[in-house]
Amino acid sequence: MTEDFLSLRGTKYSPPIFLASGTAGSGKELLGFTDFSYVGAVITKAVTPKPRAGNPPPRIAPSYSGLVNSIGLANPGLESFVSEVIPEIEDIPAKIIVNVAGEDVKDYKEVIEGLNPFDLVTAYEINISCPNVKKGGISFGKDPISSKVLIEKLREATEKPLILKMTPHGDEYIQIAQIAQDSGVDAFSFVNTFPAVLFDIEKRTFALGNKTGGLSGPAIKPLALHAVHRLRSVTSLPIIGGGGITGYKDAVEFFLAGANAISLGTVLFSDTDSPKKIFNGLKKYISRHGLKSLNDIKLKNEK
Amino acid sequence: MLTRAKLKSRNRVSEKIWHLVFELPFEQEIYPGQFFMIKIDEGFEFKHPFSVHRFSDGVVEFLIESRGYFSRSLSYLNVGGTAQLTGPLGNGFKAKEGSSVLAVGGGIGCAPLAMFECLHYKARYLVGSKDEKSFPGFDLPPEKTLVVTENGKYGKKGLVTDYFIEFIEEGEKVFACGPDQMIIKLAQQCRSRGTDAYFCLEAYMACGIGACAGCVSPLLREYKKVCSDGPVFSIREII
Ligand SMILES: Cc1cc2nc3c(=O)[nH]c(=O)nc-3n(C[C@H](O)[C@H](O)[C@H](O)COP(=O)(O)OP(=O)(O)OC[C@H]3O[C@@H](n4cnc5c(N)ncnc54)[C@H](O)[C@@H]3O)c2cc1C
Ligand SMILES: Cc1cc2nc3c(=O)[nH]c(=O)nc-3n(C[C@H](O)[C@H](O)[C@H](O)COP(=O)(O)O)c2cc1C
Ligand code: FES
């Protein structure tokens, strides 16, 4: 296999396998458990300007082949991220992308401007899709006008790649993707979790402290594939595709749906070394199919 | 550490509880309250946390209560079969040399208590369960252990918290693991006596290594991660 990578504004992510925000901490938690030579970049847990305690427990509940979470963007805030987290992740042998969240345009801008001086932060994943917070998050992801303003402002604020993370819920992502493409984003990260609810039948309460959450894991794979395929039909920008990938076969499906790279999230809770296994599986798949690179994994009838 | 470990032996301790011994060569010391994330399937399966019950040269032991799908599957694992173990994880309880501990366990929360014997800590035990069928404190030294069951069929009748005040001795620190209600009551009792205490908490865990922020507990003043900031917390951190 020739070297496979995703290139964004000149930064090469190789292999094009990303660890999904919120499932890999800041990266340091996986040291000793994950072989980072198979990780193109770790996408950190969301960073907001001020510390966020997050949602009340329980924050996670399992379902068939997946889990519902409502972490609520718990994070130590920009200042601590800079003074405490960055020094801890300097030596991680993988590139870092920071997931950025906020309640309004000013919040997103503040995080980006605060992190611009650090070369270690190679790109920003703009989270307009968190289902677990009341303000910001998914409300941008549902509103094409405000997301346009957001992206234009952030484009002015940084030279680093901007990756837009959208919600697959509803139809708005189609319009937002088109606007975003014209407003200067470099790639899409798709999908975030699907809004979901579970109940505790013994207590007769919501299973999660926040009542609602987002579903991830194998349960969402076909839905995610459908969404990625639709997104591909309206954009020519790179798509980091994911949602329920557990093995190389799932990854191949995302490439067939139109993704240029993949993201691994919930699978890390089952196997922290899945990047290596999935990479090796993809390599074998490619040679078995006589292909040269991951980008050659395309639908036959759509070539 | 992440290893596939072979099941060396498996015994039924009571109706719902199994004692599993895995072959696991490792060098590190393990402390009471430290745990492993375990899964069986080679493919996709969530890992589940289980406290180390005991360890010695080349083996790690667990007490597994059959509660749902995963714990049942684990308790049925065939000797010679393997499971994937990640750990030891969490902070664990480190007692100062010479200090004496009263270790309190409720239900399957008794599992980590035998670690005090492994480490030769100066410890006494107060253990309780609903009934004799779910009693897991089977191998604690009887001369140092007070047993309580809710139905009174084994040991004294009642809850561990009914006997705590009369059983604890001057100068003992407390280490406790068990249901939330037991922890809350014990924390109150320890506060009123001015006793230094450490509590081993439970929370639903997805990653077990501090990566997901999913495992916060309603018993803590702050939303700390039970898996990596704990699972053992000082009484000062408990509500
Ligand atoms: C630090 C820690 C140490 C533990 N030590 C032991 C032990 O030594 N022996 C023992 O028998 N049990 C122990 N448990 C509990 C054990 O993890 C659960 O019983 C087990 O995960 C249940 O899974 P299940 O599929 O059988 O049950 P389910 O039917 O899925 O659930 C039964 C109960 O277990 C809880 N549970 C399920 N999955 C998890 C998970 N991933 N993390 C935490 N809780 C979960 C559920 O919330 C529910 O209360 C410990 C839990 C924690 C957090
Ligand atoms: C526990 C948990 C926390 C998450 N936190 C974030 C987050 O902070 N920001 C974000 O953009 N996505 C977050 N996500 C979504 C994931 O990054 C990913 O998009 C989603 O889980 C779908 O992929 P998967 O099925 O491979 O997990 C989180 C997911 C989980 C399970
Ligand atoms: S279980 Fe993921 S942070 Fe504790």
Side-chain angles (χ1 to χ4, degrees), chain A residues 22-25 29-30 33 53-57 59-63 65-67 71 74 218 246 266-272, chain B residues 1-2 37 39 41-47 84 86-87 89 204-207 209-218 223 225:
Chain A
T23 62
E29 293 82 356
L30 293 176
F33 297 115
N55 284 328
R59 288 181 177 177
I60 292 188
S63 180
S65 275
L67 45 88
I71 309 295
T246 65
T266 302
V267 64
L268 297 172
F269 303 150
S270 165
D271 185 359
T272 41
Chain B
M1 189 174 65
L2 203 154
M37 291 297 281
K39 69 170 211 164
D41 205 299
E42 300 262 3
F44 181 79
E45 177 175 64
F46 288 122
K47 297 177 184 179
Q84 197 205 65
T86 309
L89 301 169
Y204 187 89
M205 291 181 184
C207 72
I209 55 174
C212 74
C215 58
V216 298
S217 163
Y223 288 156
K225 297 171 192 167

Side-chain angles (χ1 to χ4, degrees), chain B residues 48-51 63-65 67-71 108 111 203-205:
Chain B
H48 294 253
F50 292 92
S51 310
L63 283 184
I64 310 294
E65 180 180 28
R67 265 158 95 173
Y69 182 78
F70 184 78
S71 48
I108 194 63
Y204 187 89
M205 291 181 184

Side-chain angles (χ1 to χ4, degrees), chain A:
Chain A
M1 186 154 88
T2 52
E3 195 204 353
D4 272 291
F5 57 85
L6 177 71
S7 179
L8 299 177
R9 294 189 159 231
T11 302
K12 273 190 185 178
Y13 298 96
S14 174
I17 297 178
F18 295 74
L19 304 190
S21 175
T23 62
S26 62
K28 71 168 193 294
E29 293 82 356
L30 293 176
L31 279 170
F33 297 115
T34 301
D35 187 339
F36 284 103
S37 38
Y38 299 92
V39 174
V42 174
I43 307 177
T44 67
K45 178 71 192 163
V47 176
T48 53
K50 296 271 167 311
R52 283 182 60 97
N55 284 328
R59 288 181 177 177
I60 292 188
S63 180
Y64 300 103
S65 275
L67 45 88
V68 181
N69 89 78
S70 67
I71 309 295
L73 304 181
N75 82 92
L78 176 63
E79 205 180 301
S80 298
F81 188 84
V82 166
S83 62
E84 286 160 35
V85 181
I86 287 188
E88 286 175 342
I89 57 178
E90 256 160 9
D91 296 331
I92 292 176
K95 292 201 167 72
I96 302 289
I97 292 173
V98 171
N99 183 277
V100 182
E103 294 186 356
D104 51 29
V105 176
K106 186 172 69 36
D107 282 359
Y108 286 86
K109 212 164 155 242
E110 187 177 337
V111 174
I112 286 182
E113 284 170 348
L115 295 177
N116 272 339
F118 299 92
D119 291 341
L120 169 129
V121 178
T122 62
Y124 303 105
E125 184 181 66
I126 308 305
N127 179 356
I128 55 163
S129 44
C130 181
N132 298 322
V133 290
K134 294 203 173 56
K135 283 194 230 154
I138 207 165
S139 56
F140 277 109
K142 288 283 184 189
D143 179 359
I145 307 294
S146 60
S147 50
K148 179 177 160 62
V149 175
L150 176 72
I151 295 155
E152 284 170 354
K153 289 275 182 259
L154 301 185
R155 185 68 288 165
E156 287 164 14
T158 187
E159 293 292 314
K160 293 182 190 181
L162 291 175
I163 303 161
L164 191 65
K165 181 138 181 203
M166 299 188 296
T167 174
H169 183 56
D171 265 344
E172 293 87 345
Y173 67 85
I174 295 289
Q175 206 188 339
I176 290 176
Q178 288 162 326
I179 292 173
Q181 177 163 332
D182 299 336
S183 310
V185 305
D186 301 293
F188 295 103
S189 176
F190 204 49
V191 303
N192 205 324
T193 54
F194 285 82
V197 159
L198 286 170
F199 294 96
D200 182 326
I201 62 163
E202 295 308 320
K203 294 189 187 141
R204 282 190 268 149
T205 57
F206 285 89
L208 297 177
N210 184 51
K211 296 184 182 167
T212 64
L215 178 64
S216 66
I220 68 170
K221 188 190 77 174
L223 304 172
L225 285 168
H226 176 249
V228 168
H229 184 57
R230 278 189 78 195
L231 177 62
R232 176 42 77 219
S233 70
V234 298
T235 181
S236 52
L237 289 180
I239 300 173
I240 302 169
I245 298 178
T246 65
Y248 85 89
K249 292 179 183 170
D250 302 324
V252 168
E253 285 191 279
F254 276 88
F255 285 108
L256 290 175
N260 308 81
I262 53 159
S263 76
L264 307 178
T266 302
V267 64
L268 297 172
F269 303 150
S270 165
D271 185 359
T272 41
D273 211 24
S274 53
K276 179 177 173 179
K277 289 178 192 153
I278 290 174
F279 178 81
N280 288 332
L282 284 170
K283 222 162 119 174
K284 287 201 189 112
Y285 174 86
I286 282 178
S287 75
R288 190 152 51 80
H289 282 258
L291 304 172
K292 286 202 196 67
S293 81
L294 295 178
N295 284 320
D296 299 333
I297 305 179
K298 293 223 168 73
L299 277 180
K300 281 197 171 155
N301 52 5
E302 290 200 359
K303 245 187 181 162

